[in-house]
Amino acid sequence: MAAYGALVSLMHIIDRLEKHPSPPISIHKQQVESLTQNVTFLQDFLDAYISPVVDDHEADSLERRIADAVYAAEDVIESQIVLQIHNRSTIRGKMSSFIKLFRARCKCAANYINAAEDFYHDLQQVIEEMNSISTAADQLQRKVSSTHAASSSTVIKKDVLEIVAAAQLPRKVSSTHAASSSSVKESMMVGFKEVLLEVLDKLTGGQRSRQIIPIMGMGGIGKTTLARHLFEHALVKEHFDICAWTTISQTYNVRETLREVLFQASGDSGSDLNEVELGEKLYKYLYDRRYLIMRLTSQLRESYGVGMKFLDEASSWDLFTNIVFGGESFPHELENIGKNIVANCKGLPLSIATIGGLLAKSERAREYWVRIEQNLNSIVITNNDEFCLKILRLSYTYLPNYLKPCFLYMGVFEEDRRIRVSMLKKLWVSEGFLKPVSGKCLETIGEEYLKELVDRNLILVDKLGEFSGNIKFCKIHDLLRDLCLKEVEKERFYDIIEKSPSVIDNERRRVVFQNVGRGVISEVSRSLSRVRSIICDDEGKNFVRPHNFRLLRTFKAYDRDSHPFGGGSVHFLGDVFQLVNSRHLDVTLHRKSKFPSSINLLWNLSTLIVQHSTLHESWDMIRCSSVLRWHNITAPIEIWKLHQLRHLEFVIDELILPDPPSEMVIMENLQTLKGVMNLYLNEDVVQRIPNVKKLHVIYKYKGLSKVKQTERANSFSYLECLSKLENLLCRFHYGCDEYLQRLTFPHSLKKLNLFLYYHAELEEILEKIGWLPLLHKLVLDGGTFKTGKWDTIEGQFQSLKLLQLNFCQGLKSWTMAESSHFRVLQELRLRSLDELEEIPSEVGEIQTLKSIYLEDCSESAVESAKKIVEEQEDFQGDQLDLHVRAVVPKRHERLQSLASPNFEVTVRG
């Protein structure tokens, strides 16, 4: 909810003001204490609060009042921060003479006194409003607590409590809306027969001990329908002595639940019994009998439960045709449009059943069906509010409050968008949605929040990271996104601008521009005096210079997933850095832009991502970057003072970091440092960035004096001191021999990419790499095997899952004593190894190996891969887990004759 997210965000602001080494603002101690007490109390209150207007189309008035008060507090505090920062920077700019400086300081002192008085007064008014809200919330909380206490009891028989509590999670919906005609219910089981049989087997498999079988899946996936089919199945009725169905609502009552189960089991209503007596009686009745208690299924994912997945294309079509036409044939003129409608339902039975039911009762005219296709999601959401929308809305309504802002934020991204998780977590951090937990960084908390939303089937996993198991890309189903947008509109959480609005609300906190013209953006921007977030999903190509956004915290005007080669509007860093309240800046940089020293004014900056405006070359050209002329940018020394900085990323551009100042500021939050050229590491630098996890650096010989070359080379002995480093990418240009000789690695390393010049010797480098205990991904690009051979050593590469060798010259002989050298290897990728005689046969004996990829390798290497496949087929048969793909030049097209189901050969023309 907007209120809870606002409270967490305000607490972030208060904490950062106190912890910042040079705070630009101070708040009266008593006001800080009062604000903190109010925020903490209201967070705890909302954690237990059940809104009386949960299904209403209007926002809850109490939550709205809390949000407004918190927004007012943010406005007062951050406006004062911005004012003080600009006043100080203005004075620095007027220091041309002593008299001017004296006058400026006198004027500033007078202004400061007046501003401080106004600030104290304004903030006190907000605090008084929050005190009033807290008092009202406390009274409501006491009233609810006394009501609950009157109906509660203290003890209940353990076994009976397990029967009920194991079959319930609080805040579940009643099943009254699940009723439908028998024909529709039968149709709804299309595609789920295997799941039905799986659960039947679990229920009737002869297990004597009590078992709990959760059924999981997204709202509308068919969990209740499956439960009904199971409950009414003949095998179930024959197997169990007693069958009872109970429903658990959001405000469930244990006594009433026990009464319901007792009545269905024995016919005794137990109306005169209290909770304890009911528990005792039910326990005695069920004792030594075989019983089944069915309740509404959970949307939480359990490791031991049964998951219901989306329908595949064929099952979706069968369900649709059964509902619309029953046993009749499908009209030919409607078939294509019907398939489009089904495809847009994306395998969700609720969506298919709703649209199918509508079309079954409507005219069979193509024009009408086309209108349905064009408005499918809105029809599903609004066609039967008592069924469709309530089922979907429950997924949101019964979320823990700390997850609600993160879920609502998913509507920011356009339909069908693959969402990069690392980017999503950065945005959650900048928005202030993540509640701090002692001992955990905010990104870890964001990862946990994401997994919770996935486990609740509200976010879909699109792609997992290579071998890490972490979610790399995610998605949200169209219907859930539409639900997000409805709740967002109700709570005024953010605004999506797709055309010029008739009324422009100057209270907007977050604005998303989607494919709108520059005129609309200009019109809307004039009213955004309090905006905190601006996100453009179309490269920001129509977004003009960011001005008049003095309180802006998140400015995302570029997306590398949607537009990997740059483009769109470009910005000068000097303009962007005027947004002194910024937390997250993601922009395309003008090629003539320079790094201003005013970066130190961005006291709260956590993420800076910069893309070069002239990046239009393909990624294949990047490895040849020595022939490209990238724009180098030198950062000012003030960059080392950014205490809150977490991610500094220069995409392709080469950022030159100066040596740090003598003043020691530990950048303890810094986790990502990408696109840095000739990074100088020494004891001082390593101490300042102790928690870096991802480091991408470039080293060039050109332009450095001999002394500088030696200094940079020696710095590589300090690399192993970065004890939190997990991901390292190093690109070495010609002449960096000394760098490689001193290259050491921390044992924390999990991913390593090395791009080397032609003469770099690989044998010694691989010797160092092989002993890294946690390394699971290794990419070597370039370099030379001087001896012509690579003999792997027992005990090395024990965690390696991906090995990729590209353009490694001179490798003729690769020998392995046994498969245990790469005991968990899953993927082997070899590219342009035209001298390699063969892949060791021991590679085929690695039990975890799933794929081998060869591109432009020697004929003998390809033939050896074929031999590996044949040997494994002799042991395992045709159903081999190993798949090999070879891409060969046209001169080797004869190798196509080796192709088989497990061995793919592609000839490049």
Side-chain angles (χ1 to χ4, degrees):
M1 63 178 69
Y4 193 89
L7 287 165
V8 176
S9 176
L10 178 58
M11 201 66 239
H12 275 291
I13 295 172
I14 296 171
D15 287 342
R16 288 180 180 179
L17 283 173
E18 292 181 333
K19 295 176 183 177
H20 197 274
S22 301
I25 182 178
S26 60
I27 304 179
H28 194 279
K29 183 179 179 181
Q30 186 176 356
Q31 288 185 321
V32 172
E33 291 176 355
S34 182
L35 276 172
T36 303
Q37 289 173 2
N38 276 310
V39 170
T40 303
F41 171 78
L42 290 173
Q43 280 182 334
D44 293 340
F45 167 77
L46 288 178
D47 278 332
Y49 179 61
I50 300 172
S51 174
V53 293
V54 69
D55 290 326
D56 197 70
H57 295 287
E58 297 296 326
D60 181 283
S61 59
L62 178 58
E63 293 178 13
R64 180 74 263 163
R65 189 180 172 195
I66 293 172
D68 288 343
V70 174
Y71 291 155
E74 285 188 340
D75 288 345
V76 171
I77 294 172
E78 292 186 319
S79 293
Q80 182 71 359
I81 291 172
V82 172
L83 177 64
Q84 293 299 319
I85 290 175
H86 280 309
N87 282 345
R88 294 181 186 183
S89 63
T90 301
I91 289 178
R92 291 193 189 102
K94 294 182 177 179
M95 295 178 68
S96 58
S97 69
F98 175 79
I99 295 177
K100 287 183 178 180
L101 174 62
F102 178 75
R103 289 175 178 173
R105 286 187 171 175
C106 290
K107 183 178 181 181
C108 178
N111 291 339
Y112 178 82
I113 294 173
N114 293 333
E117 290 177 352
D118 292 341
F119 169 62
Y120 181 90
H121 175 74
D122 292 342
L123 188 56
Q124 193 61 34
Q125 282 188 317
V126 173
I127 291 173
E128 290 172 3
E129 168 64 3
M130 295 183 74
N131 286 338
S132 175
I133 296 172
S134 296
T135 300
D138 183 56
Q139 292 173 351
L140 179 59
Q141 192 175 58
R142 291 174 186 274
K143 182 179 179 181
V144 172
S145 297
S146 62
T147 302
H148 286 175
S151 61
S152 64
S153 64
T154 56
V155 181
I156 186 169
K157 189 70 177 181
K158 182 176 182 292
D159 290 304
V160 176
L161 187 60
E162 286 180 353
I163 293 169
V164 178
Q168 74 184 22
L169 287 174
R171 299 183 170 188
K172 292 297 179 289
V173 64
S174 168
S175 64
T176 55
H177 298 300
S180 58
S181 68
S182 59
S183 61
V184 172
K185 286 203 295 183
E186 288 300 322
S187 297
M188 288 292 285
M189 288 310 297
V190 170
F192 293 128
K193 296 293 176 63
E194 290 185 4
V195 179
L196 178 69
L197 293 174
E198 179 184 352
V199 183
L200 274 175
D201 183 62
K202 290 177 180 289
L203 289 174
T204 61
Q207 183 171 335
R208 298 185 62 83
S209 59
R210 184 172 57 248
Q211 60 177 328
I212 301 166
I213 307 174
I215 303 174
M216 296 89 63
M218 175 182 158
I221 201 75
K223 301 185 298 297
T224 302
T225 303
L226 175 63
R228 283 289 183 191
H229 273 75
L230 289 165
F231 191 73
E232 297 168 2
H233 202 282
L235 285 177
V236 170
K237 292 182 177 180
E238 179 182 340
H239 183 76
F240 291 99
D241 302 320
I242 298 168
C243 294
W245 179 285
T246 181
T247 60
I248 308 297
S249 65
Q250 178 186 0
T251 55
Y252 69 95
N253 182 288
V254 173
R255 181 177 180 274
E256 291 305 312
T257 300
L258 290 172
R259 279 189 61 206
E260 184 178 3
V261 175
L262 179 63
F263 179 74
Q264 292 188 47
S266 67
D268 185 347
S269 66
S271 57
D272 57 340
L273 302 178
N274 63 32
E275 193 174 300
V276 176
E277 293 169 336
L278 281 167
E280 292 284 353
K281 190 162 188 174
L282 181 58
Y283 170 74
K284 291 176 181 178
Y285 190 82
L286 295 178
Y287 185 79
D288 208 29
R289 284 185 169 94
R290 185 180 290 158
Y291 56 87
L292 169 67
I293 298 178
M294 189 78 72
R295 54 102 181 173
L296 219 129
T297 51
S298 170
Q299 290 180 8
L300 287 174
R301 178 175 297 174
E302 305 286 350
S303 59
Y304 56 87
V306 177
M308 297 186 70
K309 300 179 180 178
F310 294 103
L311 296 176
D312 59 23
E313 183 179 347
S315 297
S316 296
W317 181 247
D318 288 344
L319 174 58
F320 181 73
T321 55
N322 286 345
I323 292 175
V324 179
F325 295 108
E328 300 178 27
S329 60
F330 206 106
H332 178 71
E333 66 275 12
L334 296 176
E335 187 168 347
N336 287 337
I337 189 67
K339 288 185 176 180
N340 289 339
I341 290 173
V342 171
N344 288 333
C345 289
K346 299 183 179 177
L348 185 67
L350 171 66
S351 181
I352 297 169
T354 301
I355 293 298
L358 179 64
L359 292 175
K361 302 172 185 177
S362 306
E363 56 183 312
R364 298 182 181 182
R366 179 177 173 82
E367 294 77 12
Y368 179 76
W369 281 47
V370 169
R371 288 201 302 271
I372 293 294
E373 179 198 9
Q374 293 172 344
N375 300 282
L376 186 140
N377 285 342
S378 61
I379 291 171
V380 173
I381 289 287
T382 61
N383 180 59
N384 186 347
D385 187 68
E386 289 301 306
F387 179 56
C388 303
L389 184 54
K390 284 197 174 184
I391 286 177
L392 293 173
R393 185 182 283 150
L394 282 166
S395 302
Y396 167 73
T397 301
Y398 302 139
L399 271 178
N401 284 331
Y402 62 86
L403 292 178
K404 287 184 176 179
C406 295
F407 174 66
L408 289 182
Y409 202 75
M410 302 301 291
V412 162
F413 306 101
E414 61 269 35
E415 203 169 277
D416 295 324
R417 167 73 180 275
R418 297 180 76 218
I419 303 165
R420 185 179 291 271
V421 168
S422 59
M423 176 267 295
L424 178 64
K425 290 188 295 184
K426 290 182 180 75
L427 290 172
W428 283 352
V429 169
S430 71
E431 297 286 0
F433 294 157
L434 307 177
K435 190 175 181 179
V437 176
S438 178
K440 292 183 180 180
C441 70
L442 291 176
E443 285 77 9
T444 299
I445 297 170
E447 186 75 30
E448 292 173 354
Y449 282 17
L450 177 72
K451 288 180 179 178
E452 283 195 64
L453 290 169
V454 168
D455 288 344
R456 293 170 183 273
N457 301 286
L458 292 170
I459 291 180
L460 308 176
V461 176
D462 187 71
K463 182 181 179 182
L464 293 174
E466 287 180 317
F467 318 116
S468 66
N470 294 328
I471 305 170
K472 187 171 184 178
F473 288 94
C474 64
K475 275 188 174 183
I476 182 170
H477 194 278
D478 293 350
L479 289 181
L480 286 175
R481 180 178 181 270
D482 286 353
L483 172 70
C484 277
L485 298 181
K486 278 187 170 292
E487 294 299 322
V488 160
E489 182 180 7
K490 183 175 75 174
E491 297 194 24
R492 292 187 288 168
F493 193 54
Y494 54 79
D495 291 279
I496 294 183
I497 308 297
E498 297 177 294
K499 58 183 179 180
S500 182
S502 56
V503 178
I504 299 177
D505 182 6
N506 63 5
E507 297 291 329
R508 297 178 192 273
R509 312 292 291 192
R510 301 175 183 90
V511 176
V512 182
F513 291 104
Q514 293 188 345
N515 301 308
V516 293
R518 180 166 295 192
V520 173
I521 292 178
S522 179
E523 177 188 0
V524 174
S525 298
R526 284 195 293 268
S527 68
L528 300 180
S529 60
R530 299 186 181 183
V531 70
R532 293 308 199 278
S533 302
I534 293 178
I535 296 177
C536 304
D537 74 341
D538 60 346
E539 313 176 55
K541 61 185 178 184
N542 289 318
F543 202 90
V544 292
R545 169 183 170 178
H547 61 288
N548 299 329
F549 306 135
R550 56 195 299 269
L551 302 179
L552 193 68
R553 295 192 296 228
T554 298
F555 182 45
K556 189 176 189 305
Y558 165 75
D559 186 84
R560 69 186 176 103
D561 294 312
S562 301
H563 310 284
F565 303 123
S569 291
V570 296
H571 302 276
F572 286 92
L573 284 178
D575 295 337
V576 174
F577 286 175
Q578 291 179 19
L579 308 173
V580 296
N581 202 42
S582 296
R583 297 179 186 175
H584 182 108
L585 295 172
D586 190 345
V587 297
T588 301
L589 188 65
H590 192 283
R591 62 185 304 272
K592 294 184 179 180
S593 186
K594 295 183 179 180
F595 229 125
S597 61
S598 59
I599 189 173
N600 69 308
L601 300 180
L602 278 65
W603 68 283
N604 215 7
L605 186 66
S606 63
T607 297
L608 176 61
I609 302 175
V610 174
Q611 165 71 46
H612 197 282
S613 62
T614 58
L615 177 61
H616 296 290
E617 290 80 3
S618 69
W619 286 108
D620 283 340
M621 295 179 66
I622 293 176
R623 65 171 308 278
C624 304
S625 59
S626 59
V627 302
L628 299 176
R629 294 181 179 271
W630 301 113
H631 177 44
N632 297 337
I633 296 182
T634 301
I637 197 170
E638 286 82 1
I639 198 170
W640 290 100
K641 298 180 181 180
L642 296 181
H643 178 71
Q644 296 293 344
L645 194 63
R646 312 178 76 85
H647 307 281
L648 177 59
E649 302 182 20
F650 271 63
V651 183
I652 302 304
D653 253 338
E654 295 167 354
L655 174 67
I656 300 174
L657 285 180
D659 294 341
S662 57
E663 177 189 357
M664 177 63 77
V665 176
I666 306 298
M667 301 176 73
E668 58 185 10
N669 293 306
L670 189 65
Q671 299 178 34
T672 306
L673 187 56
K674 294 176 63 175
V676 180
M677 186 172 74
N678 294 336
L679 176 65
Y680 177 45
L681 291 172
N682 58 20
E683 184 177 357
D684 184 26
V685 172
V686 168
Q687 288 178 353
R688 291 171 189 258
I689 54 173
N691 296 316
V692 166
K693 294 182 178 180
K694 181 181 291 187
L695 178 63
H696 291 188
V697 291
I698 308 110
Y699 285 91
K700 290 185 176 181
Y701 172 83
K702 186 177 180 180
L704 293 178
S705 65
K706 188 63 178 177
V707 174
K708 286 291 184 181
Q709 292 175 37
T710 303
E711 285 181 354
R712 294 301 188 266
N714 288 334
S715 75
F716 265 86
S717 61
Y718 287 94
L719 190 64
E720 63 181 345
C721 298
L722 296 174
S723 59
K724 302 290 182 66
L725 188 64
E726 297 179 357
N727 185 325
L728 174 64
L729 184 151
C730 290
R731 192 182 304 276
F732 294 96
H733 287 242
Y734 180 77
C736 294
D737 301 67
E738 287 188 76
Y739 291 68
L740 294 173
Q741 291 171 7
R742 292 169 172 79
L743 190 60
T744 59
F745 304 103
H747 282 187
S748 57
L749 212 58
K750 296 180 180 179
K751 296 181 181 181
L752 176 61
N753 290 52
L754 290 180
F755 294 83
L756 307 171
Y757 54 92
Y758 180 81
H759 294 294
E761 298 184 15
L762 293 175
E763 287 91 341
E764 185 177 351
I765 295 173
L766 283 167
E767 171 71 16
K768 296 177 182 178
I769 294 171
W771 298 110
L772 294 174
L774 304 178
L775 189 70
H776 65 246
K777 178 181 179 180
L778 171 62
V779 176
L780 277 180
D781 194 302
T784 299
F785 285 88
K786 293 294 184 182
T787 63
K789 60 183 180 179
W790 181 27
D791 299 322
T792 57
I793 302 172
E794 183 178 356
Q796 289 192 325
F797 302 105
Q798 291 299 290
S799 299
L800 197 66
K801 296 180 180 179
L802 168 65
L803 172 61
Q804 181 170 332
L805 303 178
N806 301 333
F807 304 96
C808 298
Q809 304 299 310
L811 181 59
K812 298 179 180 179
S813 172
W814 175 14
T815 59
M816 291 172 55
E818 54 185 53
S819 60
S820 62
H821 291 194
F822 295 89
R823 62 187 184 89
V824 295
L825 190 69
Q826 295 180 21
E827 283 191 46
L828 174 63
R829 302 174 187 171
L830 306 176
R831 184 181 180 190
S832 294
L833 302 184
D834 52 7
E835 298 178 62
L836 180 63
E837 295 170 354
E838 65 176 6
I839 301 172
S841 60
E842 290 81 6
V843 168
E845 299 172 8
I846 301 173
Q847 295 183 359
T848 55
L849 191 66
K850 301 296 181 184
S851 71
I852 299 176
Y853 175 80
L854 302 97
E855 181 179 348
D856 293 337
C857 292
S858 66
E859 290 184 90
S860 60
V862 175
E863 290 168 343
S864 70
K866 175 63 175 179
K867 184 177 179 181
I868 287 174
V869 169
E870 291 175 339
E871 290 175 349
Q872 294 307 306
E873 286 176 340
D874 290 340
F875 287 107
Q876 303 180 38
D878 292 337
Q879 301 300 317
L880 192 64
D881 289 338
L882 175 63
H883 181 81
V884 176
R885 182 180 177 220
V887 179
V888 300
K890 192 168 181 62
R891 67 179 183 275
H892 294 160
E893 61 182 346
R894 72 168 189 84
L895 294 173
Q896 278 188 299
S897 62
L898 302 178
S900 68
N902 296 313
F903 193 89
E904 178 185 352
V905 180
T906 303
V907 177
R908 184 172 49 241

